[in-house]
């Protein structure tokens, strides 16, 4: 027998009732490019709470939380979020910053985006040499996802509904996108993926040349 609450092909799922919003949140974001001392953090929270903010977004850079593969340390951030949730009675949002630092042990330079000249996509006005992962690197994506899952479970277990949302961010400015300085990914992994896309789309190098007016001998020449 089919359970009554399971939709069948003949019985489409019923739409979910819209969620009633009973509170609005005015969120102040606190950066941890340099991990703030707890006293610095508390002073900021106290000030903005007095100004009317009712939620805090805490920035957690991946490279601070995972220096060795599979070993996660959230101690400094736990103390911050404890203060927001337990002492101030405010909601928290968590920004998980997926950039890495140049020369760190977790990822190799092969896992990092590169510009058209082959340089590592590194920069920004914020502290440190911040690197954006290549989304075509299976190694980088796998480690990134593992960190995200671990962090979400950690904070869900500790704070539950006090966490409004999690925001994965990827650029040097902690944005949810490729870095906005026209430095799209020219890493070896990205080039290989793009060539695979072209082969699937055009079939033969002759077909590609006919469309683009180029004279490539093979797909491997496409940069």
């Amino acid at each position: 027998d089919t359970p009554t609450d399971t939709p069948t092909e003949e019985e489409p799922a019923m739409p979910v009732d819209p969620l009633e919003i009973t509170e609005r949140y005015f969120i102040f974001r606190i950066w941890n490019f340099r991990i703030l001392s707890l006293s610095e953090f508390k002073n900021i929270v106290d000030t903005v709470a007095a100004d009317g903010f009712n939620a805090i977004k805490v920035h957690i850079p991946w490279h601070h939380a995972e220096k060795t593969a599979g070993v996660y340390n959230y101690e400094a951030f736990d103390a911050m979020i404890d203060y927001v949730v337990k002492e101030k009675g405010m909601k928290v949002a968590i920004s998980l910053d997926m950039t890495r630092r140049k020369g760190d042990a977790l990822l190799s330079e092969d896992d990092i985006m590169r510009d058209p000249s082959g340089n590592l996509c590194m920069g920004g006005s914020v502290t440190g040499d911040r690197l954006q992962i290549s989304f075509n690197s299976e190694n980088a994506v796998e480690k990134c996802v593992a960190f995200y899952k671990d962090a979400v479970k950690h904070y869900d277990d500790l704070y539950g509904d006090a966490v409004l949302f999690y925001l994965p961010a990827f650029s040097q400015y902690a944005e949810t996108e490729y870095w906005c300085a026209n430095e799209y990914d020219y890493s070896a992994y990205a080039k290989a993926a793009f060539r695979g896309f072209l082969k699937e789309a055009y079939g033969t190098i002759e077909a590609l040349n006919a469309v683009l007016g180029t004279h490539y001998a093979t797909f491997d020449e496409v940069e």
Side-chain angles (χ1 to χ4, degrees):
D1 293 335
T2 302
T4 56
D5 59 348
T6 302
T8 65
E9 291 183 1
E10 294 77 23
E11 180 187 355
M14 296 298 292
V16 177
D17 291 335
L19 179 67
E20 181 182 359
I21 298 175
T22 57
E23 185 173 359
R24 296 184 182 273
Y25 297 100
F26 190 31
I27 303 175
F28 188 89
R29 183 176 201 161
I30 299 179
W31 298 100
N32 279 301
F33 294 112
R34 169 185 66 81
I35 299 181
L36 298 177
S37 69
L38 188 56
S39 61
E40 288 178 295
F41 181 85
K42 287 181 176 181
N43 285 337
I44 295 171
V45 173
D46 291 346
T47 299
V48 300
D51 287 339
F53 288 89
N54 61 352
I56 300 293
K57 185 190 290 183
V58 178
H59 172 231
I60 302 179
W62 180 15
H63 68 86
H64 283 317
E66 185 184 8
K67 298 181 183 297
T68 302
V71 179
Y72 305 103
N73 183 353
Y74 306 107
E75 184 177 354
F77 310 108
D78 289 352
M80 296 176 186
I81 296 172
D82 260 359
Y83 184 69
V84 173
V85 174
K86 296 180 180 179
E87 296 192 43
K88 301 296 288 187
M90 301 168 72
K91 297 286 189 179
V92 69
I94 297 175
S95 173
L96 297 169
D97 177 352
M98 302 303 185
T99 56
R100 298 297 304 183
R101 296 293 296 274
K102 190 176 189 298
D104 76 15
L106 194 68
L107 300 179
S108 76
E109 292 187 353
D110 291 338
D111 298 312
I112 303 302
M113 282 177 54
R114 292 180 181 267
D115 69 15
S117 298
N119 302 308
L120 293 174
C121 284
M122 176 176 63
S125 59
V126 296
T127 303
D129 296 331
R130 311 182 63 73
L131 303 172
Q132 183 167 338
I133 67 167
S134 170
F135 295 125
N136 292 109
S137 165
E138 292 183 6
N139 178 56
V141 170
E142 180 180 325
K143 286 183 168 64
C144 180
V145 169
F147 164 62
Y148 184 86
K149 287 182 175 180
D150 188 84
V152 168
K153 183 179 187 307
H154 177 79
Y155 287 111
D156 273 355
D157 288 347
L158 285 177
Y159 304 108
D161 292 341
V163 180
L164 294 174
F165 60 83
Y166 298 89
L167 178 70
F170 295 92
S171 80
Q172 285 87 338
Y173 299 103
E175 296 161 329
T176 56
E177 59 191 8
Y178 275 100
W179 191 28
C180 56
N182 294 323
E183 292 188 349
Y184 301 107
D185 190 5
Y186 288 82
S187 67
Y189 290 122
K191 289 180 181 180
F194 183 58
R195 289 166 186 151
F197 160 76
L198 293 175
K199 289 178 184 178
E200 184 176 346
Y202 293 97
T204 67
I205 195 65
E206 291 78 16
L208 175 66
N209 285 331
V211 171
L212 298 183
T214 51
H215 300 87
Y216 295 119
T218 70
F219 284 102
D220 290 338
E221 294 181 4
V222 179
E223 292 292 311

